[in-house]
């Protein structure tokens, strides 16, 4: 059985954006994120590129370098629903995907959706979750769907997983299998800011953190159109091969 959970949420038509339109929307998102993330233009561009390419990212770095903040800023700028999972060794797959429950008053059995049913999902410290819980993300990341009790639920588009992990502190962690690492389009490292960037960060957050003030510059439907537009961009190598046979 398959249920399209996203059919009543994502109403994008078949419009496909041209490269110029894609660049304009990407520029708006990048500029908005850079109001929060200081001095990391390459990492911000990679995160936006992954979103447009329908990919997922893993942010691998030490604590305190704005991994979570980059994820939140991307979700808020894109106008997408956002949820966060804080991974621990005792986190169960049902706490990620959801589970069936029975109403004690009516006796009706229904599915209670987990946090994975959001457009942008932050999986914080993913390597602290058990392999069983990590594997619960595989189908969602690869197929854009979740299966439970012989029922398949399609996820709302756009769907993107942004995972974080600390590469230094390995105690109490579970190494991600190669099959799951393959699900991530980019592995991004932010690194520490320099002195000038730290001053700028302090000035911006002196009265209110910038993440609390940024507003969406697009929405989920427009992101889906951007993703379709990216799929239509011709590969230069293929174009040259085809023209050589004319």
């Amino acid at each position: 059985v398959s249920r399209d959970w996203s059919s009543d949420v994502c109403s994008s038509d078949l419009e496909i954006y041209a490269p110029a339109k894609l660049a304009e929307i990407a520029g708006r998102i990048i500029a908005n994120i850079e109001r929060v993330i200081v001095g990391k233009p390459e990492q911000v561009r990679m995160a936006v590129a992954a979103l447009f390419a329908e990919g997922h990212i893993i942010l691998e770095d030490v604590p305190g370098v704005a991994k979570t903040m980059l994820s939140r800023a991307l979700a808020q700028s894109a106008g997408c629903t956002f949820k966060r999972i804080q991974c621990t060794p005792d986190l169960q797959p049902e706490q990620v995907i959801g589970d069936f429950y029975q109403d004690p008053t009516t006796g009706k059995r229904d599915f209670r959706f987990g946090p994975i049913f959001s457009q942008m999902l932050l999986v914080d410290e993913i390597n602290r979750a058990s392999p069983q819980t990590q594997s619960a993300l595989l189908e969602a990341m690869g197929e854009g769907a979740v299966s439970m009790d012989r029922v398949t639920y399609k996820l709302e588009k756009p769907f993107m997983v942004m995972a974080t992990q600390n590469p230094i502190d390995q105690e109490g962690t579970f190494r991600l299998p190669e099959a799951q690492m393959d699900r991530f389009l980019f592995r991004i490292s932010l690194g520490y800011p320099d002195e000038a960037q730290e001053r700028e960060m302090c000035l911006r957050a002196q009265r209110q953190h910038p993440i609390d003030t940024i507003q969406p510059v697009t929405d989920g439907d427009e992101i889906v159109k951007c993703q379709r537009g990216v799929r239509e961009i011709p590969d230069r190598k293929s174009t040259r091969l085809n023209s050589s046979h004319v």
Side-chain angles (χ1 to χ4, degrees), residues 32-54:
N32 209 43
I33 295 174
E34 288 183 336
R35 294 175 55 193
V36 178
I37 306 299
V38 178
K40 307 296 178 185
E42 181 181 354
Q43 291 88 337
V44 171
R45 287 196 298 268
M46 289 177 68
V48 175
L51 174 61
F52 277 31
E54 303 176 63

Side-chain angles (χ1 to χ4, degrees), residues 112-176:
R112 181 174 292 168
F113 296 103
I116 203 169
F117 287 90
S118 59
Q119 293 172 312
M120 310 282 280
L121 177 67
L122 171 61
V123 185
D124 212 357
E125 295 187 287
I126 188 173
N127 56 335
R128 293 197 178 278
S130 67
Q132 183 183 18
T133 302
Q134 291 175 8
S135 66
L137 293 166
L138 286 176
E139 182 185 14
M141 295 173 67
E143 306 296 333
V146 167
S147 295
M148 178 66 69
D149 196 21
R150 295 180 295 177
V151 179
T152 300
Y153 300 89
K154 293 183 180 179
L155 298 174
E156 180 182 1
K157 295 183 178 181
F159 174 70
M160 182 180 187
V161 171
M162 301 166 288
T164 74
Q165 67 176 0
N166 180 357
I168 297 177
D169 184 9
Q170 299 297 320
E171 185 177 354
T173 63
F174 304 88
R175 181 180 177 184
L176 270 66

Side-chain angles (χ1 to χ4, degrees), residues 216-227:
V217 294
T218 181
D219 57 33
D221 282 354
E222 197 165 47
I223 295 296
V224 171
K225 294 174 186 177
C226 290
Q227 292 174 340

Side-chain angles (χ1 to χ4, degrees), residues 70-136:
L70 173 58
S71 303
R72 288 183 59 191
L74 177 58
Q76 288 181 218
S77 298
C80 294
T81 58
F82 174 80
K83 290 184 180 179
R84 173 180 176 174
I85 300 172
Q86 182 63 51
C87 293
T88 56
D90 59 350
L91 181 71
Q92 297 299 309
E94 293 79 10
Q95 295 174 287
V96 175
I97 296 174
D99 200 5
F100 286 94
Y101 75 101
Q102 190 168 9
D103 191 315
T105 57
T106 64
K108 183 181 178 182
R109 189 168 179 262
D110 206 352
F111 185 71
R112 181 174 292 168
F113 296 103
I116 203 169
F117 287 90
S118 59
Q119 293 172 312
M120 310 282 280
L121 177 67
L122 171 61
V123 185
D124 212 357
E125 295 187 287
I126 188 173
N127 56 335
R128 293 197 178 278
S130 67
Q132 183 183 18
T133 302
Q134 291 175 8
S135 66

